[in-house]
Amino acid sequence: MMDLNVNKKNLILGIIGSAFMMAGDLTLSLITPCDNDTGLFIRQAYFDGQYPAWKLIFLVLTGAAGVFGYWYGLEEMHNSILPEYGKTRKCFKICSMFFCFTGLVIHYGVGIGAYEVSYLAQHFDEETARRVVENYAGNILPGFYILYIPIAGIFIIHLIMLIMKKTIYSRRMICFSPILLMGIFALIPDIRQALGCHLTTLDYLCSQCSGNVSPFLYFLLCLVLPDGFKYEHTSHK
């Protein structure tokens, strides 16, 4: 039986951690959009110097605090899997450790690219900045894609266990599964572009923050939703 006091503590720390990570995301996404922007780094706002050094420092500090809180939020997700599924819980725990280490690396790696563009464009020229950051992206992004595997694994495992009714939570919580919410937020900019809409700051917010706002919402809803709605087994109330 889960200790609900520990459960609530873990959820609160998970909320705080994901909020810190979102704060770092905002330094990357609260920029003036341009229809010629592409990818993570080729953004006119960065060429115009809208990513100064203080944002990179802020990104690192919020990221460090963020992964600390995230660990506890992921611990709650781990504990919500029923104890008889020990191998699944172990796999989830390993993926959680990878998540906390690699999440900060990716966070900082994206910030480095944004800062490179801003610095080089302001001190040299846009063509130099573009050439350097394209080379950087070509080398760093394949590494990021590998690191995304255990990160995605956490939320895929969690979704499968929810669907199979192997957690303390009701299947109703599938509606708030982090990986489903990530997909929805990430698709919003693509759908808008397919409809011919111009890029807006909201598009950047949806794509850049989707990976952290989704767990934030999940942790929050697990904390505040009524027990009768979220729990599957009355013994855990």
Side-chain angles (χ1 to χ4, degrees), residues 121-136:
Q122 295 301 301
H123 291 81
F124 295 93
D125 56 74
E126 287 192 12
E127 184 57 35
T128 299
R130 184 182 298 272
R131 188 168 59 251
V132 170
V133 82
E134 284 178 347
N135 180 65
Y136 175 76

Side-chain angles (χ1 to χ4, degrees), residues 1-14 72-73 75-76 79 223:
M1 183 174 178
M2 181 181 285
D3 185 330
L4 292 186
N5 289 325
V6 173
N7 176 47
K8 289 179 180 179
K9 181 204 76 172
N10 288 343
L11 286 171
I12 290 170
L13 289 172
Y72 290 94
E75 182 70 9
E76 187 281 332
N79 292 341
L223 184 66

Side-chain angles (χ1 to χ4, degrees), residues 14-222:
I15 290 167
I16 294 171
S18 51
F20 270 112
M21 293 293 277
M22 283 193 294
D25 288 336
L26 291 177
T27 67
L28 295 160
S29 54
L30 284 178
I31 58 175
T32 306
C34 176
D35 288 338
N36 294 325
D37 292 350
T38 58
L40 287 171
F41 307 120
I42 306 300
R43 299 180 176 180
Q44 189 57 47
Y46 296 163
F47 288 121
D48 293 339
Q50 290 187 29
Y51 202 85
W54 73 263
K55 287 189 175 183
L56 188 59
I57 297 168
F58 181 81
L59 188 77
V60 173
L61 296 177
T62 55
V67 295
F68 175 80
Y70 250 125
W71 173 257
Y72 290 94
L74 295 174
E75 182 70 9
E76 187 281 332
M77 295 177 74
H78 166 270
N79 292 341
S80 73
I81 300 172
L82 298 180
E84 53 263 39
Y85 302 104
K87 290 183 179 179
T88 302
R89 287 165 65 103
K90 184 176 181 179
C91 182
F92 189 97
K93 179 74 78 174
I94 292 170
C95 287
S96 296
M97 289 188 286
F98 272 103
F99 179 99
C100 290
F101 286 116
T102 61
L104 183 57
V105 170
I106 293 172
H107 212 51
Y108 185 60
V110 175
I112 284 287
Y115 177 66
E116 275 186 349
V117 176
S118 284
Y119 182 87
L120 293 172
Q122 295 301 301
H123 291 81
F124 295 93
D125 56 74
E126 287 192 12
E127 184 57 35
T128 299
R130 184 182 298 272
R131 188 168 59 251
V132 170
V133 82
E134 284 178 347
N135 180 65
Y136 175 76
N139 286 283
I140 200 72
L141 291 183
F144 285 177
Y145 298 146
I146 295 171
L147 296 179
Y148 281 136
I149 294 172
I151 293 175
I154 293 173
F155 301 116
I156 292 171
I157 290 170
H158 180 258
L159 176 61
I160 291 171
M161 299 305 278
L162 272 175
I163 292 171
M164 297 177 69
K165 301 179 72 172
K166 294 182 178 180
T167 76
I168 65 169
Y169 291 114
S170 164
R171 277 182 176 168
R172 288 184 288 267
M173 296 302 288
I174 293 171
C175 299
F176 314 114
S177 171
I179 198 160
L180 295 182
L181 293 176
M182 287 178 200
I184 291 170
F185 283 122
L187 282 173
I188 290 174
D190 293 331
I191 293 171
R192 283 175 40 79
Q193 282 189 305
L195 294 174
C197 300
H198 292 290
L199 281 173
T200 66
T201 302
L202 176 63
D203 294 313
Y204 287 142
L205 288 171
C206 286
S207 61
Q208 202 92 46
C209 298
S210 62
N212 292 308
V213 72
S214 301
F216 173 85
L217 290 173
Y218 179 78
F219 296 146
L220 180 63
L221 290 168
C222 284

